[in-house]
Amino acid sequence: GLPQEDFKLSTIEALVEVYKEGEHRKRALFYINRAIQTGVNWDEEFIILLPNGTERWVRVIGETAFVDGKCERVYGSIQDINNRKINELGLDGFFKRVNPAFCDLLGYTEKELLSKKFYEFIYSGDRKPTLNAFKSEKDFSKVYPSENRYVTKSGEILNIAWRSTMRMDGKHLLAIGRDITEELKLQQLLHRTNLLSKIVSWEINLQTHSIYV
């Protein structure tokens, strides 16, 4: 959990300093400033730094209170999602930690996932680009989005969308994955539906030799 005493902050600058340096901090500042200026709320995931230097994935929900068109207050909630979302990958290619949801998704036990290099679970056609991306994700200040296909223990192919970032120790990659298989199927169905909607019907009347479109 996240002890409340760790987050008694008096200024926006102090609040933003809690977020991991780089993209996480820039995104947090963007959402806070946008909320103050326009009243748009946010619901996003970030990495924060605890006072002891530990990195944690959190979900942050932010809202505003306006009085006479002026932002009087920014408030919200912060939820620790580290254990639920995080996978930790070593530079040697082995998972160092996997979350239970990932185990359930692929149908493997934690022991099975930790015993092999991560790319052995990836669909063969996606292994090379995934390895190339893995070797280049070295900047701890950036978040790297990617997508690839994993093969479950039962042989099903799943599309996973990832957001990864290097830990500040430079030795481990932290990643959260989301199953987008059904989303992609829906997109493909909508695409086919749109193509069908563009098909024009026609008819030839053999008695009048007329063509109807």
Side-chain angles (χ1 to χ4, degrees):
L2 301 172
Q4 290 186 0
E5 57 268 22
D6 288 345
F7 296 98
K8 293 179 179 178
L9 306 170
S10 58
T11 66
I12 292 178
E13 290 74 16
L15 173 62
V16 172
E17 289 295 318
V18 169
Y19 293 86
K20 183 178 177 181
E21 182 182 354
E23 185 170 337
H24 292 274
R25 193 173 294 177
K26 290 177 182 177
R27 287 175 54 231
L29 185 59
F30 166 78
Y31 287 117
I32 293 170
N33 284 332
R34 186 183 67 173
I36 292 172
Q37 295 170 9
T38 66
V40 176
N41 301 331
W42 74 95
D43 184 345
E44 296 289 333
E45 295 172 355
F46 304 89
I47 290 180
I48 64 170
L49 298 177
L50 300 183
N52 63 4
T54 303
E55 297 180 3
R56 305 287 290 185
W57 275 98
V58 295
R59 176 189 179 192
V60 179
I61 299 175
E63 301 181 56
T64 57
F66 275 69
V67 177
D68 296 328
K70 181 179 179 182
C71 182
E72 293 287 332
R73 182 164 74 100
V74 179
Y75 63 98
S77 62
I78 181 169
Q79 178 186 6
D80 186 349
I81 60 172
N82 203 68
N83 293 332
R84 177 167 57 88
K85 302 264 309 187
I86 199 72
N87 290 311
E88 188 171 331
L89 188 62
L91 297 184
D92 59 1
F94 284 93
F95 285 113
K96 304 305 179 183
R97 177 163 49 122
V98 291
N99 70 73
F102 191 59
C103 296
D104 293 341
L105 183 66
L106 296 185
Y108 290 101
T109 65
E110 180 183 18
K111 183 178 180 180
E112 288 173 322
L113 288 171
L114 298 181
S115 67
K116 297 180 180 180
K117 294 197 173 185
F118 79 98
Y119 55 78
E120 295 185 51
F121 301 99
I122 294 176
Y123 178 70
S124 58
D126 291 349
R127 288 181 181 177
K128 185 175 181 179
T130 298
L131 282 171
N132 289 338
F134 170 69
K135 293 174 182 177
S136 66
E137 295 175 357
K138 305 300 184 185
D139 190 340
F140 75 86
S141 68
K142 294 183 179 180
V143 174
Y144 299 94
S146 63
E147 293 182 14
N148 57 19
R149 290 168 288 182
Y150 270 72
V151 182
T152 69
K153 194 170 184 176
S154 64
E156 183 182 2
I157 298 175
L158 299 179
N159 295 82
I160 310 294
W162 295 97
R163 290 177 62 83
S164 307
T165 187
M166 179 63 68
R167 283 187 59 173
M168 295 184 72
D169 63 11
K171 298 179 180 179
H172 301 88
L173 196 67
L174 303 178
I176 56 175
R178 184 169 62 89
D179 182 7
I180 59 170
T181 306
E182 294 305 316
E183 292 180 29
L184 293 180
K185 288 181 180 179
L186 179 59
Q187 289 176 10
Q188 292 169 0
L189 177 60
L190 291 174
H191 178 66
R192 289 196 295 269
T193 302
N194 288 334
L195 289 178
L196 288 173
S197 69
K198 296 177 182 178
I199 296 176
V200 178
S201 299
W202 57 271
E203 177 184 347
I204 299 176
N205 189 316
L206 297 178
Q207 294 180 338
T208 62
H209 302 288
S210 301
I211 300 176
Y212 302 94
V213 178

